[in-house]
């Protein structure tokens, strides 16, 4: 196995069990590892630090899998890690309510670059590192053994793969191909999901708990669901007695799926309007028309893909939230989210405070949203904390 020696003093993060070694920390590479090869990492005194996957192309030169010299990274190791991740979900999530969840969440489950989502009898796999890509056939065998799915679909079409020098993949990996739309349930609501073409790996199961919390305030209220995708917040709001919901999303497939989902749940006669439009533009139109809602939801895509994009993203979040607040009366609720890992909760609060100032409103935070238990935050990997939100009330 190729050995990689770190520069003096650069082992601190590794000793704290952080799984990333940046290329700038590497002193010497003894040999010529290929991207995705397993390597042994040593400190400046040539003492063992860990095993991980090497990548010469990525800013993260090594993704660590193990800090134990006696461990062998083989099929048994993978099977044990995968079984442990699945067990956590089985222990903590009521499958009566939900048959869709994230079974494996990359670094948080000690499998850097591997994401596996369950959609009823199907699995959707996303591989974001060259090392895991090499282990893919073995991982598929283990998933089949442990879960007996009907089919496993590859949604490794994220741009993150380009940083690792691996090409995008989208297609059936094992078993039967899912129908164009398969049905899942969550919070007692049914959804159609397009595993092959839907966004992310098909569905945003990370908002499961937040949809339930938001819905508990929706009875008798008018709701504006911005960035509605397949209707997670819209459907939960109707399920809890919202009087009218308007959903806005720029994607035609999102709007089509949302309409199917309204019908699937018998909500097709509810007072609902769906608008395929850019949210910022639509919010400005509503403001000009003097429209008001009791609850406004803002769940935009990731505005800050990295820390360097933080300033621009902060301005975009601020402007979006300012517009959202202008559509609320006193007592109205704004549920606002950020899924940018680079924006932490304190920064997000500051952005919302600026938005309120600009809108000329006073707001109180009445609830903080976070990511659910199938997206755990490993404390030695704080970067895994990405989803945050605030429920604010205009006073
Ligand atoms: N709230 C959703 C998830 C939102 S994901 C849920 O609970 O499932 C973000 C959504 O924003 C995607 O559906 C995407 O199509 C949409 N989107 C991205 N940019 C947009 C824009 N400028 N205007 C409107 N929708 C946008």
């Amino acid at each position: 196995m190729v050995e990689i020696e770190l520069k003096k003093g650069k082992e601190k993060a590794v000793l704290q069990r952080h799984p990333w070694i940046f290329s700038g920390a590497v002193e010497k590479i003894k040999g010529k590892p290929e991207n995705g090869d397993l390597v042994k990492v040593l400190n400046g005194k040539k003492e063992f630090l860990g095993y991980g996957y090497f990548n010469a192309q990525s800013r993260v030169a090594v993704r660590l899998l193990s800090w134990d010299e006696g461990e062998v990274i083989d099929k048994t190791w993978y099977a044990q890690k995968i079984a442990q991740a699945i067990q956590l979900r089985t222990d903590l999530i009521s499958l009566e309510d939900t048959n869709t969840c994230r079974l494996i969440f990359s670094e948080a489950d000690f499998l850097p670059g591997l994401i596996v989502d369950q959609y009823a009898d199907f699995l959707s796999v996303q591989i974001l590192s060259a090392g895991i890509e090499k282990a893919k056939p073995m991982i598929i065998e283990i998933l089949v053994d442990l879960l007996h799915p009907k089919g496993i679909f590859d949604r490794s079409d994220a741009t993150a793969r380009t940083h690792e020098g691996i090409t995008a993949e989208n297609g059936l990996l094992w078993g039967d191909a899912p129908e164009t739309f398969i049905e899942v349930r969550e919070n007692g609501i049914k959804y159609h999901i397009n595993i092959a073409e839907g966004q992310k790996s098909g569905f945003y199961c990370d908002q499961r708990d937040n949809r339930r919390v938001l819905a508990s305030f929706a009875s008798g209220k008018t709701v504006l669901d911005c960035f509605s995708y397949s209707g997670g917040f819209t459907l939960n709001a109707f399920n809890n007695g919202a009087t009218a919901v308007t959903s806005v999303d720029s994607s035609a497939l999102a709007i089509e799926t949302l309409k199917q989902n309204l019908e699937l749940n018998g909500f097709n006669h509810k007072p609902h309007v769906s608008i395929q439009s850019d949210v910022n533009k639509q919010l400005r139109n509503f403001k000009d028309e003097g429209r008001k809602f009791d609850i406004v939801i803002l769940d935009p895509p990731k505005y800050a893909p990295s820390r360097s994009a933080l300033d621009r993203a902060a301005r975009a979040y601020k402007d979006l939230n300012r517009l959202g607040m202008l559509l609320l009366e006193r007592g109205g609720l704004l549920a606002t989210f950020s899924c940018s890992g680079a924006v932490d909760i304190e920064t997000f609060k500051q952005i919302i405070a600026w938005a309120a100032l600009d809108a000329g409103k006073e707001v109180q935070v009445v609830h903080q949203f976070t990511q659910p238990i199938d997206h755990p935050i490993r404390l030695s990997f704080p970067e895994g904390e990405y989803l945050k939100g605030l429920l604010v009330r205009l006073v």
Side-chain angles (χ1 to χ4, degrees):
M1 194 183 297
V2 168
E3 291 180 349
I4 294 202
E5 230 178 88
L6 299 193
K7 289 181 182 157
K8 274 214 179 73
K10 290 289 183 187
E11 73 250 50
K12 198 167 157 226
V14 181
L15 294 173
Q16 289 169 352
R17 302 276 170 138
H18 195 284
W20 291 350
I21 296 174
F22 290 100
S23 50
V26 173
E27 173 74 32
K28 216 186 288 169
I29 302 175
K30 292 188 184 160
K32 284 203 168 78
E34 279 180 30
N35 288 348
D37 276 358
L38 194 68
V39 294
K40 192 183 224 182
V41 179
L42 309 174
N43 66 11
K45 292 186 209 147
K46 305 195 176 16
E47 291 160 340
F48 174 84
L49 290 173
Y51 296 116
Y53 285 134
F54 174 76
N55 197 316
Q57 184 160 334
S58 169
R59 185 172 79 89
V60 182
V62 183
R63 292 174 192 273
L64 290 167
L65 299 168
S66 168
W67 287 257
D68 177 353
E69 192 165 12
E71 233 165 23
V72 182
I73 315 291
D74 56 5
K75 190 172 177 188
T76 311
W77 183 91
Y78 265 98
Q80 192 235 330
K81 285 284 180 275
I82 292 173
Q84 184 183 315
I86 293 169
Q87 190 62 45
L88 169 76
R89 278 62 176 182
T90 324
D91 285 351
L92 298 178
I93 295 178
S94 159
L95 292 173
E96 278 162 31
D97 242 18
T98 297
N99 61 0
T100 171
C101 73
R102 177 149 293 186
L103 291 174
I104 300 175
F105 182 36
S106 206
E107 283 87 353
D109 287 304
F110 302 89
L111 292 163
L114 178 63
I115 288 171
V116 179
D117 290 327
Q118 180 179 356
Y119 293 118
D121 300 325
F122 289 90
L123 300 177
S124 169
V125 172
Q126 225 188 333
I127 291 175
L128 303 171
S129 75
I132 296 281
E133 182 65 31
K134 283 192 174 172
K136 184 154 88 178
M138 188 164 75
I139 292 169
I140 300 306
E141 277 178 29
I142 296 166
L143 289 171
V144 170
D145 272 0
L146 289 173
L147 296 162
H148 314 293
K150 271 194 186 149
I152 303 182
F153 203 86
D154 197 355
R155 281 303 308 268
S156 301
D157 43 19
T159 47
R161 278 172 72 99
T162 52
H163 303 307
E164 288 269 322
I166 38 180
T167 51
E169 309 266 347
N170 176 313
L172 188 67
L173 282 173
W174 184 88
D176 298 339
E179 313 257 296
T180 311
F181 287 100
I182 65 154
E183 191 180 310
V184 301
R185 54 173 203 283
E186 178 200 270
N187 298 343
I189 291 167
K190 293 181 250 176
Y191 292 87
H192 272 169
I193 298 204
N194 185 324
I195 294 184
E197 290 172 49
Q199 290 179 31
K200 214 174 183 180
S201 70
F203 183 60
Y204 291 89
C205 60
D206 55 357
Q207 287 286 25
R208 178 191 316 119
D209 298 349
N210 301 333
R211 292 173 182 138
R212 210 168 36 224
V213 170
L214 197 272
S216 70
F217 298 99
S219 175
K221 298 291 198 303
T222 57
V223 177
L224 174 62
D225 179 8
C226 297
F227 309 95
S228 52
Y229 189 50
S230 54
F233 286 101
T234 296
L235 297 160
N236 278 269
F238 272 139
N239 207 32
N240 235 41
T243 49
V245 183
T246 303
S247 317
V248 186
D249 200 288
S250 56
S251 146
L253 178 61
I255 298 280
E256 184 204 328
T257 315
L258 162 64
K259 286 182 178 162
Q260 286 187 26
N261 290 341
L262 284 163
E263 200 169 320
L264 197 60
N265 290 279
F267 296 153
N268 38 332
H269 300 300
K270 296 262 189 193
H272 178 259
V273 179
S274 52
I275 302 172
Q276 188 189 341
S277 167
D278 171 69
V279 162
N280 280 276
K281 192 171 132 217
Q282 190 56 40
L283 292 178
R284 284 197 169 84
N285 289 349
F286 281 147
K287 177 172 86 68
D288 294 344
E289 292 163 9
R291 280 287 299 272
K292 298 284 178 188
F293 298 87
D294 298 320
I295 299 177
V296 172
I297 301 155
L298 300 174
D299 184 20
K302 199 197 281 182
Y303 283 174
S306 64
R307 265 177 212 288
S308 58
L310 200 54
D311 281 355
R312 227 184 58 179
R315 280 194 296 278
Y317 280 121
K318 188 189 81 168
D319 208 43
L320 175 71
N321 280 277
R322 179 184 66 83
L323 286 168
M325 286 177 196
L326 292 175
L327 306 185
L328 291 165
E329 307 272 19
R330 188 169 287 195
L333 291 173
L334 173 74
T336 179
F337 297 91
S338 162
C339 59
S340 305
V343 178
D344 61 27
I345 183 72
E346 293 313 315
T347 309
F348 194 54
K349 281 183 190 159
Q350 188 60 63
I351 293 169
I352 303 307
W354 287 327
L357 262 184
D358 278 9
K361 310 278 186 188
E362 280 282 359
V363 295
Q364 296 168 322
V365 173
V366 293
H367 182 80
Q368 279 189 29
F369 299 106
T370 181
Q371 58 207 60
I373 48 173
D374 49 335
H375 295 64
I377 301 154
R378 178 174 142 200
L379 286 179
S380 48
F381 182 65
E383 290 83 350
E385 183 169 9
Y386 71 101
L387 179 62
K388 66 216 67 81
L390 298 169
L391 184 64
V392 300
R393 188 169 186 269
L394 263 64
V395 288

